[in-house]
Amino acid sequence: QVQLVESGGGLVQAGGSLRLSCAASGRTFSKYAMGWFRQAPGKEREFVAAISWNGGSTYYADSVKGRFTISRDNAKNTVYLQIDSLRPEDTAVYYCAANRDTGSIRTTTSSYDYWGQGTQVTVSS
């Protein structure tokens, strides 16, 4: 079992930056691919970014490419999402997730086995 706890969300103005963190429990974190998703009010949860088990591969949704950066520190059991040039449409609850079956990148919610509780990001115009 893996527990994930996100932090770092908040209220920022458009154009600002945030760094989200996701701390994981358990000794097998370094074997898991990790992902970030977000869900805006009234919308489905959508893929944002993912990273392979060793950080060697990353993948981003087109809507965030060039503005978001995913990274991980396996020694600290933590995955990060650096969010720059924030836009009002980035407002959502951001979730991190872990895929226990493969260390490779996945982009669908059904591919992930463990989820955090989410952290709210609100961008004002």
Side-chain angles (χ1 to χ4, degrees):
Q1 188 75 12
V2 174
Q3 291 186 328
L4 304 173
V5 179
E6 302 96 333
S7 62
L11 173 63
V12 296
Q13 290 188 332
S17 297
L18 283 174
R19 189 193 196 199
L20 307 184
S21 298
C22 173
S25 66
R27 292 177 290 179
T28 54
F29 170 80
S30 62
K31 299 180 181 179
Y32 297 161
M34 299 294 295
W36 284 96
F37 291 75
R38 66 185 181 186
Q39 188 166 18
K43 295 187 177 182
E44 293 187 352
R45 193 169 298 189
E46 65 174 359
F47 170 77
V48 173
I51 189 167
S52 60
W53 68 277
N54 63 351
S57 296
T58 58
Y59 188 77
Y60 299 91
D62 288 341
S63 58
V64 307
K65 203 171 296 183
R67 300 188 299 121
F68 289 20
T69 303
I70 188 171
S71 61
R72 67 190 296 161
D73 185 339
N74 285 345
K76 296 182 178 180
N77 275 17
T78 302
V79 62
Y80 305 97
L81 187 68
Q82 177 69 38
I83 308 176
D84 298 318
S85 303
L86 276 159
R87 305 168 180 170
E89 54 264 39
D90 294 321
T91 295
V93 178
Y94 283 71
Y95 298 89
C96 71
N99 178 309
R100 68 183 177 190
D101 292 329
T102 174
S104 302
I105 287 173
R106 295 291 185 268
T107 62
T108 60
T109 56
S110 60
S111 299
Y112 288 84
D113 305 289
Y114 305 107
W115 293 83
Q117 82 291 345
T119 186
Q120 177 71 48
V121 172
T122 303
V123 185
S124 63
S125 57

